[in-house]
Amino acid sequence: MEAAVGVRHIILVLSGKGGVGKSTISTELALALRHAGKKVGILDVDLCGPSIPRMLRAQGRAVHQCDSGWVPVFVDQEQSISLMSVGFLLESPDEAVVWRGPKKNALIKQFVADVAWGQLDYLVVDTPPGTSDEHMAAVEALRPYSPLGALVVTTPQAVSVGDVRRELTFCRKTGLQVVGVVENMSGFVCPHCAECTNVFSRGGGEVLASLAGVPFLGSVPLDPELTRSLEEGQDFIRDFPKSPAFPALFSIAQKVMSEAPARLS
Amino acid sequence: MEEVPQGCPGTGSAQAGRGASCQGCPNQRLCASGAGAAPDPAIEEIKEKMKTVKHKILVLSGKGGVGKSTFSAHLAHGLAEDENTQVALLDIDICGPSIPKIMGLEGEQVHQSGSGWSPVFVEDNLGVMSVGFLLSSPDDAVIWRGPKKNGMIKQFLRDVDWGEVDYLIVDTPPGTSDEHLSAVQYLSAAHIDGAVIITTPQEVSLQDVRKEINFCHKVKLPIIGVVENMSVFICPKCKKETQIFPPTTGGAEVMCQDLKIPLLGKVPLDPHIGKSCDKGQSFLMDAPDSPATFAYRSIIQRIQEFCGHHPPKEEHFLSS
């Protein structure tokens, strides 16, 4: 299977904890890499909760076949971002994928082996929360196509760090190189009085990075414009350069571009 | 797309392992041998065990990070404030067991007795069980595939000595997969009162929650109602409201109207909730005057009313 051979770097976005912003960070990382001139693919292996099609305004698109396999969906006219998600295979957006492990594993193997990704600088792989079937299947299926690295996302809370520590163990056990930790939802600046509140506590990202001995890539604050932009499938990086979340996201992408080649070789 | 066995006839059906859509499925041989057809004896054992448990509530979402564990913990705390009510909290999030931390029970271990595993007690009337208690270090990862997770859930339901319990609350991981199917399957003979479904206002959450609601319909699990968490943020300084997670498609209110499901309540985002969870304390006690506490209490009351109006029957309608 030659499908992912043309991909130069593969980054798994992991957490362990649900709802910390893996899909958000995956999408924003892809957009930022695209703005830096890279060709990017996104593989969404969250089979139960495939969020990415909506975030890139690609819901309802059809997946076609070609000689080398399934054609990923291009989310933009310039064909600089391609996407594969189980979301495209569902008959209706409310259809639940109620599958046990083996069936999930089989589909993930197909997504890796049978999708004609072509030549890509980066393949960003968005995962569901946890350390189970999807994660093992993704790592096993992607391993032949090294280099393979992980970006780990947490929120500042200890409850989140508690779960994400286990994800870091997963990375160690499966030989996944951790490119760095991103702390999401780091504080909220009230639009009325500019007071910054630590809505989800503070400090978790740096604690986690230091516990695991990996780089801390940055904190992304809460920004309702970012949330709204994702809901509506907008290009946040293009539309909101003045948002408080923008510098953090941009810097994280820069660090991935400069660190990934070194750490993953 | 034809290669994915979407037309799975079901492990218990006569066609299991033999249908056209079974070709290539990793479980084909197992199903064809008939192993899937016999009912699991654990289901009857669990039915027996659950005879001392009056009400069983599943807390579900579909979406991660919306506050299932936070809600489950505070539902348990709220119910247990009445010392005559016996409450049990079961955490079946095998990969990400947050309940020990939220309940202030990190580092606790499970003990075995003649009658099974003993839950860890927060109060005399509030017992907790989680895979977190079986792990020796906070860094231990539970990297299990589906079947092993299912085995653990079976043990939790069959082998924990809950005693006489008024409310068993089951906290679940996000998704619609092994853990959820197993919980419903193993409890199928024991009557689940219903599911409380947690969401946040955004469409990205509602999208997953609609799938969870579909799952409930598929497995004939009654829905007690929906809780919209992180509804609105009240700035502690200027007290003005902001919607950090904007309800771009109308939030839970519109979804519940569309799907004709009760909206049990909306809980605002109070930064103290996160702090209480991190400290392992009850937010209801830490911040009794917070609007979030009032919201929680009103929701808890509605859940009690639902359970009161739908008393457990001997025979019930969930198919195994």
Side-chain angles (χ1 to χ4, degrees), chain A residues 16-20 46-52 54-55 59 63-65 70 89-107 110 114 129-134 136-137 140 156-160 162-163 165-167 169-170 172-174 185 188 190-193 195 197-202 211 222-225 227-228 231-232, chain B residues 1-8 26-27 62-66 93 95-98 101-102 106 132 135 137-147 149-150 174-179 181-182 185 201-205 207-208 210-212 214-215 218 230 233 235-238 240-249 259 269-275 277-278:
Chain A
K17 182 85 187 71
V20 297
D46 188 341
L47 303 184
C48 299
S51 317
I52 308 240
R54 192 191 174 85
M55 290 180 177
Q59 316 94 293
V63 172
H64 303 289
Q65 294 251 15
W70 295 358
L89 308 178
L90 301 174
E91 295 191 355
S92 115
D94 296 343
E95 187 184 324
V97 172
V98 184
W99 295 351
R100 290 195 183 267
K103 211 160 161 179
K104 293 197 279 187
N105 298 343
L107 183 59
Q110 281 192 273
D114 297 348
T131 47
S132 188
D133 293 272
E134 296 89 332
M136 288 189 263
E140 273 168 31
Q157 270 183 284
V159 166
S160 183
D163 280 349
R165 287 174 78 158
R166 307 188 200 278
E167 195 73 24
T169 302
F170 171 84
R172 230 177 9 255
K173 287 198 165 165
T174 53
M185 306 200 200
F188 176 66
C190 175
H192 305 284
C193 70
E195 166 89 351
T197 309
N198 291 318
V199 182
F200 297 113
S201 222
R202 61 190 295 266
L211 271 174
L222 277 163
D223 179 1
E225 292 302 336
T227 314
R228 196 181 284 279
E231 299 262 285
E232 294 164 359
Chain B
M1 272 113 338
E2 288 79 69
E3 297 113 282
V4 175
Q6 286 231 327
C8 172
N27 286 333
K63 182 83 187 70
V66 296
D93 188 341
C95 299
S98 312
K101 183 159 198 80
I102 297 177
E106 263 190 323
L135 302 172
S137 140
D139 292 316
D140 280 353
V142 179
I143 309 175
W144 291 353
R145 290 187 189 273
K149 291 196 282 186
N150 300 338
T176 48
S177 187
D178 289 273
E179 296 89 334
L181 285 166
S182 295
Q185 184 193 2
Q202 316 132 280
E203 177 55 27
V204 86
S205 289
Q207 207 177 235
D208 286 351
R210 287 191 201 98
K211 295 182 204 287
E212 196 74 21
N214 257 328
F215 166 82
K218 259 189 193 171
M230 308 196 205
F233 171 73
C235 177
K237 187 166 176 215
C238 69
K240 294 217 174 92
E241 288 187 359
T242 315
Q243 288 180 321
I244 296 189
F245 301 110
T248 53
T249 55
L259 301 177
L269 237 186
D270 184 330
H272 291 112
I273 299 178
K275 290 210 182 76
C277 288
D278 279 358

Side-chain angles (χ1 to χ4, degrees), chain A residues 31-220:
Chain A
L31 288 170
L33 291 169
R34 192 265 297 270
H35 280 289
K38 304 293 179 193
K39 266 203 101 182
V40 188
I42 307 175
L43 172 56
D44 177 7
V45 302
D46 188 341
L47 303 184
C48 299
S51 317
I52 308 240
R54 192 191 174 85
M55 290 180 177
L56 291 167
R57 229 195 232 163
Q59 316 94 293
R61 301 275 298 273
V63 172
H64 303 289
Q65 294 251 15
C66 69
D67 286 341
S68 12
W70 295 358
V71 182
V73 172
F74 287 104
V75 305
D76 59 335
Q77 281 197 332
E78 302 83 30
Q79 302 204 334
S80 54
I81 299 189
S82 54
L83 168 62
M84 182 54 73
S85 166
V86 80
F88 297 135
L89 308 178
L90 301 174
E91 295 191 355
S92 115
D94 296 343
E95 187 184 324
V97 172
V98 184
W99 295 351
R100 290 195 183 267
K103 211 160 161 179
K104 293 197 279 187
N105 298 343
L107 183 59
I108 290 170
K109 278 203 190 91
Q110 281 192 273
F111 274 170
V112 172
D114 297 348
V115 171
W117 292 104
Q119 301 293 323
L120 291 177
D121 295 300
Y122 290 90
L123 178 63
V124 178
V125 184
D126 184 31
T127 63
T131 47
S132 188
D133 293 272
E134 296 89 332
H135 312 85
M136 288 189 263
V139 172
E140 273 168 31
L142 290 165
R143 205 187 288 282
Y145 310 104
S146 54
L148 187 58
L151 192 73
V152 174
V153 185
T154 184
T155 57
Q157 270 183 284
V159 166
S160 183
V161 170
D163 280 349
V164 183
R165 287 174 78 158
R166 307 188 200 278
E167 195 73 24
L168 287 166
T169 302
F170 171 84
C171 293
R172 230 177 9 255
K173 287 198 165 165
T174 53
L176 259 181
Q177 191 68 251
V178 178
V179 173
V181 169
V182 170
E183 182 185 274
N184 203 12
M185 306 200 200
S186 270
F188 176 66
V189 176
C190 175
H192 305 284
C193 70
E195 166 89 351
C196 182
T197 309
N198 291 318
V199 182
F200 297 113
S201 222
R202 61 190 295 266
E206 297 205 37
V207 165
L208 199 58
S210 98
L211 271 174
V214 298
F216 179 61
L217 297 183
S219 313
V220 184

